[in-house]
Amino acid sequence: MSYVDFSSDAFIVAFFLYCFAFLFYVVTIAGKKWSNRDPEKHEKRWSRISFVTSTLGLIAHLTFFFTRWFGSGQIPTSNMYEFITFLGMAIMIAFTVVYAIYRKPLLGMFSLPLVVLVIAYASVFPQEVQPLIPALSSIWLKVHVTTAALGEAFFAVGFAAGMMYLIRVVDFKQTSKEARRDQFWVEFSLYTIVLVIGFIAVVFIFRGAGYEATFNQEKVTIDSKGVDHSSEDTTKYTLPPIVKPYNSQAVEMDSFLGMDKPLFEAPSWMNGINAGRKLNTVIWSVIAGSILYGIIRLLFRKRIGAVIHPLMGDIDPEDLDEISYRAIAIGFPIFTLGALIFAMIWANIAWGRFWGWDPKEVWALISWLYYSAYLHFRLSRGWQGKRSSWLAVIGFVVILFTLVGVNLVIAGLHSYAGV
Amino acid sequence: MLALHNTKCECGHQNAVGTVLCESCGKPLMEDMENDAPLEMRYDGVARRSQKSNPNPIDKIWNFFSSVKIAVYLIVITLVTAMFGTIYPQEGSFLNNFKPSVYYEETYGLPGKLYYKLGLSHTYDSWWFITLLVMIGTSLVICSLDRVLPLYRALSKQQIRKHLRFITRQKTVYAGQVEGNTDEWVKEFSVHLKKKGYKIHTDGSALLAEKNRFSRWGPYINHIGLILFLLAILGRSLPGWQMDSYVNIPDGDTVPIEGTNYYVKNEKFTVEYYKDEELPPELQGTIRAKKYETNAILYKCTDNCGDDATGEPVLQQVKQQEIEVNHPLKHDGLKLYQFDYDVTPKLKSVSPMLVNKETGESYGPFELPMKDAPLDYTLGPYKMKLAANYMEFGIGEDGEPVTLSRDPNAPAFIFLITGPGLPEKGQPYIYFPMQKDKEKFDQDKLNASIADKLEIKVDGMDNVHFAEASTYLNVRKDKALTYVWYGAAISMLGLLLGSYWQHRRIWLRIDDGRLSLGAHTNKNWYGMRADVAYALRKSGIAVEPKSLDNGGNNA
């Protein structure tokens, strides 16, 4: 058995341990209200069980990381799959650090599903070890990527705590205008998370079924000398094509529920063949996520926020506010070092300029400016609590866009990390 | 309004206008006496410079930039505008032959046109973006100066015995009875605080414990670093501070580096590709570069340098090195980076013969390089003068010959030939070294009557020389770089000091056996409460850390 195969097994072990740890944290919190037990003893006992499980998961994850590194001869942070799994591991490290300070099992109930979601998302991307292009083989790559991801992981924990704060303080029974607005946005955030679950589910369902469709797009361009070139692009869909790329022909297409041709064509302004595929994926995610959300609503007969809110009755919102702030304050210097300073050093060595306004660089700067604005807002009166939690939630969206969105939407020097 | 306020505290200390808490005893000066909410402890309640009465115009500018609110707005505006710059590629990301006025509209349609017209296609060097950066820099300087000086003053002369209201209105508080000798109790209490790293100052039954004051300077050190960083970036626009250009060198060629006194030669460019077995299945059969490098020689020009020099430049070798990605050639602040390469072979030179078609006699061969070809040739009885040459021959819109690029893709030479049987002033002859161009442009027809008498032709491929590859090097010079790194390092140091340590202070006084304790930190109240609860527990008072919380915000 090769090291890379062994590492894949360790990864699966980590994944399941995380899932169990999540369940255990839920038991820790929800079980306090069960009859026949002393709430304090229950919490003490179960938070230990949960923390041991999640730490074992982290150890398995670290095993995956180092055996894959050893087996492939390069640090596993060089494609989307490896980077996102690393991010998941970094979030676990950040969670473990913050947990060690505050010992609030509730934090596990929110951080672990985040980690599970992140590494499930990673598995959507191709998992093979890919060779590096020369620009990437430098010690600074390792340092830059790992440090930046660790900083982002603390922001993720800040996000989890901020989300908890909001669910804790937003009362789902009130009907005032302000309460309704808060309820809507909390529920919207949760719905967005369900969409991500929907995306992952849909990808795996159709991958399991081996679905495939292929499209050809002919593109005619006229160059400066007036000569027209036509080129053909091919793209492979792994989800049934609701939308096909603009001006394209199906080469082959498996039939799905009697659907044997695409329903729509992508609009012409969606340049390139992959834009159509991405739009199709987004549509599928929305459909699957909405169905999933509908099922949850039918099961509980109330909003998701209203389901979770009562679980958190005896949690002090001020603690959550403080944890969220602390996590971000701990992450900020790490992020500055990894995502900006180390990145500049590496860029200077590799391309001879420390800054080039490449979209990924700009978005790292935007994230940094965003969190520095957050830290300054905290100094002002009235920017603690709810507002600050919203900022932490939005900040994580900015981070996710920087990490994933830029690769998928905007192309640049970092596009080799895309799929 | 402020001027009317009596700024003398009951303890006798004369405070500056705008002071919130007396600089000496800490008594709240500006609030309603009945208010019990935790105090506003920012900057220890000192008056900032910007809180002057009767501000003059300069004060008003100072006041504007000294506001944290304005600073946050500036940050937010900058980050939003920076977002716009990433919607489409910036102009700077394209190399040669790029016409932004056409490109954006052609590629992205109307939105692209608007993007270009609004100047967003060069967001980051636009005047308004630079203005924003300058304003952030100004705000950094003024915000810091406005606060750090009064804060330094206040922290370096702290009074131990604080006003009771100052203590009871802290965010972390404890009140209770103490039995026995109060001075002894304070002494014991301070021992436990010492273990936690506090510096203790006592005044009878009053105590001030303080630790990590240096962390208060963290944000200001960070700001100094950022200011240096911004100045360094602005400094790059000074003449001679920065250079960023590209050179394209075919194998074996030597080219001058414009703007410097150096020449660089591409001795040999090599590229190595991944073998199929090194690639995962889905990438097999594709070409992926594994390593590429240029064996380069850097020369310094010692004589006949520059464009207006008459003779051949005299070159002196300074350095030879393999340049590859991540390993630039460095010399005297000049850096040459491997940027790109082109492996389509380029015609470098030919060695043709001049053939007299009537007699069959041939003269030559003579060396004809594509670049910088000599002007005069003597071949037997014939003399040739190079009248014009084209690297990529084409016919312009006005019917005149033009060159379409500077790469030898379709080279053409026009010679003026004199000799036996030719007019005295010479007869023009156009020569295409490449067979495909000869046919495409119909060389014989262009040459008309002279085509029957003479022909320039190459005898066999041995007389054709190609450069197999050409390398693209990025030439850089950046004097600001040193300051950029210093700025980043200082800023990082400040961030670490400010984030991972917190300035914690505990005030305590015992009046008639009644203990009043207040504590303040600039961050991490959880840790603050834990410290207080620890020392109290060790001194025989068991409290839950959370019960010390007096409400208020976690700033």
Side-chain angles (χ1 to χ4, degrees):
Chain A
M1 190 155 94
S2 76
Y3 281 101
V4 175
D5 292 337
F6 176 74
S7 79
S8 307
D9 295 344
F11 183 71
I12 291 166
V13 170
F15 182 79
F16 281 107
L17 282 170
Y18 288 157
C19 292
F20 282 118
F22 168 48
L23 287 179
F24 293 162
Y25 278 115
V26 172
V27 170
T28 314
I29 301 301
K32 281 199 288 187
K33 294 209 178 113
W34 296 343
S35 54
N36 76 11
R37 64 194 63 210
D38 172 22
E40 224 162 89
K41 241 187 233 157
H42 171 88
E43 186 177 333
K44 211 170 171 188
R45 195 177 119 95
W46 277 92
S47 59
R48 186 175 307 135
I49 294 174
S50 319
F51 188 64
V52 167
T53 314
S54 69
T55 308
L56 285 175
L58 178 59
I59 291 169
H61 204 158
L62 285 164
T63 311
F64 154 78
F65 180 74
F66 287 107
T67 47
R68 189 176 168 103
W69 189 345
F70 192 74
S72 69
Q74 66 192 29
I75 187 168
T77 52
S78 38
N79 61 27
M80 210 55 157
Y81 165 73
E82 292 176 335
F83 178 73
I84 305 276
T85 47
F86 182 81
L87 182 70
M89 189 168 88
I91 297 176
M92 269 313 290
I93 295 171
F95 159 74
T96 310
V97 168
V98 176
Y99 187 90
I101 302 175
Y102 291 98
R103 313 231 166 231
K104 297 272 180 245
L106 187 73
L107 195 57
M109 193 174 129
F110 282 79
S111 297
L112 275 145
L114 184 64
V115 173
V116 168
L117 210 57
V118 165
I119 59 182
Y121 176 68
S123 310
V124 167
F125 297 98
Q127 298 174 17
E128 287 82 13
V129 174
Q130 277 168 3
L132 282 176
I133 65 168
L136 288 175
S137 38
S138 157
I139 175 88
W140 289 103
L141 161 79
K142 300 163 197 169
V143 180
H144 153 57
V145 174
T146 49
T147 326
L150 190 63
E152 284 148 359
F154 277 97
F155 294 158
V157 174
F159 155 78
M163 201 66 229
M164 279 156 67
Y165 179 91
L166 291 169
I167 297 173
R168 168 69 183 80
V169 299
V170 171
D171 187 348
F172 276 80
K173 294 209 177 73
Q174 273 184 13
T175 50
S176 74
K177 207 174 158 200
E178 200 206 336
R180 272 166 195 265
R181 202 187 55 201
D182 287 343
Q183 287 160 14
F184 172 78
W185 285 110
V186 169
E187 195 62 14
F188 181 79
S189 309
L190 292 168
Y191 170 69
T192 313
I193 296 169
V194 175
L195 288 193
V196 177
I197 301 172
F199 164 71
I200 296 167
V202 139
V203 167
F204 278 102
I205 289 169
F206 285 107
R207 188 180 287 174
Y211 186 86
E212 234 172 63
T214 314
F215 290 88
N216 247 345
Q217 184 188 44
E218 197 180 351
K219 207 172 168 183
V220 180
T221 47
I222 298 168
D223 70 10
S224 55
K225 287 167 205 160
V227 187
D228 51 338
H229 301 272
S230 74
S231 58
E232 272 200 341
D233 283 326
T234 310
T235 191
K236 208 191 272 173
Y237 276 50
T238 50
L239 301 177
I242 296 173
V243 176
K244 65 172 188 171
Y246 174 69
N247 199 18
S248 66
Q249 259 69 48
V251 180
E252 57 170 321
M253 183 181 157
D254 298 345
S255 159
F256 168 69
L257 296 180
M259 180 175 111
D260 50 9
K261 61 175 196 287
L263 302 177
F264 307 100
E265 181 175 288
S268 61
W269 51 266
M270 294 202 116
N271 266 295
I273 192 154
N274 290 329
R277 197 189 64 210
K278 287 169 187 171
L279 177 67
N280 189 55
T281 307
V282 169
I283 293 174
W284 267 107
S285 310
V286 171
I287 293 173
S290 301
I291 292 172
L292 191 59
Y293 181 79
I295 294 171
I296 297 171
R297 285 295 293 270
L298 273 176
L299 277 176
F300 290 99
R301 310 250 160 202
K302 51 184 162 181
R303 283 175 286 186
I304 304 179
V307 176
I308 310 174
H309 177 77
L311 280 177
M312 313 186 44
D314 56 347
I315 296 293
D316 183 1
E318 264 208 26
D319 284 350
L320 291 175
D321 183 43
E322 161 123 18
I323 291 173
S324 171
Y325 175 43
R326 274 279 277 165
I328 290 169
I330 292 173
F332 189 72
I334 303 175
F335 181 78
T336 310
L337 194 65
L340 295 176
I341 298 183
F342 287 160
M344 287 194 290
I345 295 175
W346 180 37
N348 190 48
I349 294 171
W351 292 289
R353 46 151 193 72
F354 65 91
W355 195 263
W357 297 108
D358 171 73
K360 193 87 168 181
E361 286 175 323
V362 176
W363 274 92
L365 177 70
I366 289 170
S367 314
W368 185 80
L369 287 173
Y370 182 90
Y371 280 100
S372 52
Y374 168 90
L375 293 174
H376 285 93
F377 268 128
R378 286 291 307 205
L379 296 174
S380 322
R381 231 182 281 218
W383 280 91
Q384 291 84 20
K386 213 190 275 176
R387 281 180 173 182
S388 159
S389 298
W390 275 122
L391 288 181
V393 171
I394 297 165
F396 191 59
V397 176
V398 175
I399 288 289
L400 284 184
F401 188 80
T402 307
L403 288 182
V404 186
V406 173
N407 294 76
L408 298 183
V409 181
I410 310 169
L413 271 182
H414 282 71
S415 57
Y416 37 67
V419 272
Chain B
M1 279 296 284
L2 286 174
L4 295 173
H5 202 88
N6 181 7
T7 55
K8 190 161 182 169
C9 178
E10 64 180 43
C11 70
H13 186 82
Q14 180 64 54
N15 292 295
V17 172
T19 307
V20 182
L21 306 170
C22 172
E23 286 178 18
S24 180
C25 70
K27 177 175 178 279
L29 295 176
M30 302 201 36
E31 292 179 354
D32 180 10
M33 299 291 266
E34 304 304 315
N35 195 343
D36 278 333
L39 292 171
E40 185 54 72
M41 284 286 289
R42 276 181 300 173
Y43 320 113
D44 267 36
V46 295
R48 288 177 281 124
R49 189 205 174 284
S50 52
Q51 287 166 324
K52 246 182 171 178
S53 48
N54 303 324
N56 64 34
I58 290 176
D59 289 335
K60 278 184 183 156
I61 295 173
W62 178 281
N63 294 356
F64 176 79
F65 281 110
S66 73
S67 152
V68 175
K69 201 159 100 186
I70 296 293
V72 176
Y73 285 151
L74 286 174
I75 294 174
V76 172
I77 295 169
T78 310
L79 82 85
V80 170
T81 49
M83 280 181 196
F84 291 138
T86 62
I87 297 175
Y88 296 133
Q90 292 284 298
E91 287 172 28
S93 57
F94 300 94
L95 280 179
N96 312 316
N97 261 333
F98 171 69
K99 290 191 198 76
S101 52
V102 186
Y103 175 84
Y104 287 97
E105 188 172 359
E106 218 168 57
T107 319
Y108 305 106
L110 183 64
K113 189 180 176 181
L114 286 174
Y115 197 75
Y116 172 72
K117 293 274 180 214
L118 287 171
L120 292 169
S121 57
H122 54 97
T123 304
Y124 308 112
D125 48 20
S126 62
W127 63 268
W128 44 272
F129 194 78
I130 292 172
T131 308
L132 274 172
L133 292 184
V134 171
M135 284 174 83
I136 287 184
T138 315
S139 162
L140 279 170
V141 174
I142 295 181
C143 273
S144 304
L145 282 180
D146 197 50
R147 292 168 173 79
V148 72
L149 298 175
L151 180 67
Y152 179 80
R153 219 163 19 93
L155 289 181
S156 49
K157 48 159 201 193
Q158 297 180 69
Q159 212 192 33
I160 297 165
R161 187 175 290 273
K162 287 286 185 183
H163 194 274
L164 196 56
R165 190 171 287 122
F166 175 85
I167 292 178
T168 54
R169 283 182 58 192
Q170 288 302 324
K171 194 176 136 51
T172 297
V173 290
Y174 176 78
Q177 291 296 321
V178 173
E179 310 291 326
N181 186 334
T182 52
D183 285 10
E184 280 300 313
W185 192 89
V186 169
K187 205 172 270 171
E188 201 209 323
F189 186 72
S190 58
V191 168
H192 303 306
L193 284 177
K194 257 190 203 144
K195 262 189 216 138
K196 287 270 172 189
Y198 284 84
K199 289 197 185 90
I200 311 292
H201 312 272
T202 48
D203 173 9
S205 62
L207 170 139
L208 162 64
E210 183 176 16
K211 82 170 176 190
N212 302 341
R213 190 197 286 175
F214 64 86
S215 103
R216 279 308 263 282
W217 316 127
Y220 305 105
I221 295 171
N222 172 19
H223 289 174
I224 290 170
L226 290 176
I227 293 160
L228 186 61
F229 187 92
L230 280 174
L231 283 178
I233 288 173
L234 292 175
R236 300 167 93 206
S237 50
L238 293 173
W241 268 51
Q242 196 216 7
M243 182 179 143
D244 178 7
S245 59
Y246 297 88
V247 284
N248 168 20
I249 330 168
D251 273 350
D253 272 18
T254 308
V255 298
I257 302 172
E258 268 173 55
T260 69
N261 204 16
Y262 292 101
Y263 281 69
V264 59
K265 181 179 186 187
N266 170 9
E267 192 75 32
K268 180 87 188 130
F269 175 81
T270 42
V271 57
E272 192 186 313
Y273 299 100
Y274 279 107
K275 294 192 193 73
D276 252 4
E277 59 266 27
E278 289 176 285
L279 291 168
E282 76 273 18
L283 289 175
Q284 277 176 12
T286 61
I287 296 171
R288 289 207 151 200
K290 186 177 184 180
K291 186 180 170 184
Y292 44 96
E293 60 184 14
T294 306
N295 184 349
I297 305 176
L298 187 70
Y299 297 102
K300 193 173 188 146
C301 177
T302 52
D303 200 10
N304 283 331
C305 311
D307 289 340
D308 33 299
T310 41
E312 277 284 298
V314 181
L315 300 179
Q316 188 192 350
Q317 179 172 341
V318 269
K319 204 169 184 184
Q320 177 164 21
Q321 191 194 316
E322 304 283 346
I323 303 178
E324 57 178 301
V325 177
N326 289 339
H327 295 286
L329 183 153
K330 293 180 199 167
H331 178 75
D332 188 26
L334 191 74
K335 290 181 190 158
L336 301 177
Y337 287 86
Q338 184 67 52
F339 179 75
D340 202 357
Y341 60 89
D342 186 0
V343 284
T344 33
K346 290 264 155 59
L347 190 59
K348 219 178 143 205
S349 70
V350 289
S351 303
M353 322 254 277
L354 181 65
V355 180
N356 185 328
K357 280 190 166 175
E358 286 156 351
T359 64
E361 279 175 282
S362 65
Y363 309 97
F366 65 97
E367 169 87 8
L368 180 64
M370 295 302 114
K371 248 176 89 184
D372 301 327
L375 296 178
D376 294 294
Y377 304 83
T378 307
L379 298 157
Y382 297 98
K383 279 191 179 349
M384 306 202 307
K385 215 176 170 59
L386 182 60
N389 72 335
Y390 304 92
M391 295 304 259
E392 186 172 350
F393 185 83
I395 304 290
E397 279 165 20
D398 51 0
E400 292 292 313
V402 289
T403 188
L404 299 173
S405 82
R406 293 200 292 178
D407 296 323
N409 296 328
F413 295 84
I414 298 178
F415 295 105
L416 207 57
I417 309 180
T418 51
L422 296 169
E424 204 164 300
K425 61 181 184 2
Q427 196 162 355
Y429 181 99
I430 186 160
Y431 171 58
F432 294 95
M434 289 192 195
Q435 189 62 32
K436 64 165 174 73
D437 303 326
K438 208 171 273 178
E439 283 159 14
K440 184 177 171 194
F441 296 107
D442 213 340
Q443 179 178 316
D444 286 352
K445 211 170 184 178
L446 286 174
N447 282 329
S449 69
I450 195 171
D452 300 331
K453 297 180 201 154
L454 292 171
E455 190 184 7
I456 298 178
K457 69 173 189 186
V458 171
D459 193 13
M461 283 312 282
D462 287 351
N463 291 315
V464 181
H465 312 288
F466 288 96
E468 277 175 19
S470 46
T471 184
Y472 287 82
L473 297 180
N474 182 203
V475 183
R476 296 197 161 251
K477 195 173 164 183
D478 201 342
K479 280 194 183 169
L481 206 57
T482 325
Y483 302 101
V484 164
W485 299 134
Y486 278 123
I490 294 171
S491 158
M492 199 58 224
L493 174 76
L495 266 180
L496 292 176
L497 292 183
S499 308
Y500 298 143
W501 285 272
Q502 297 91 32
H503 181 213
R504 294 178 186 171
R505 276 175 299 169
I506 299 168
W507 297 274
L508 171 158
R509 59 189 273 178
I510 302 174
D511 306 283
D512 305 328
R514 186 163 174 81
L515 164 72
S516 306
L517 181 148
H520 178 74
T521 178
N522 56 339
K523 259 186 202 79
N524 188 6
W525 290 96
Y526 186 85
M528 181 78 257
R529 290 194 293 265
D531 276 2
V532 173
Y534 166 84
L536 283 175
R537 194 173 65 241
K538 289 279 181 183
S539 308
I541 301 173
V543 284
E544 261 301 298
K546 188 72 200 172
S547 70
L548 300 169
D549 192 15
N550 191 21
N553 291 320
N554 297 315

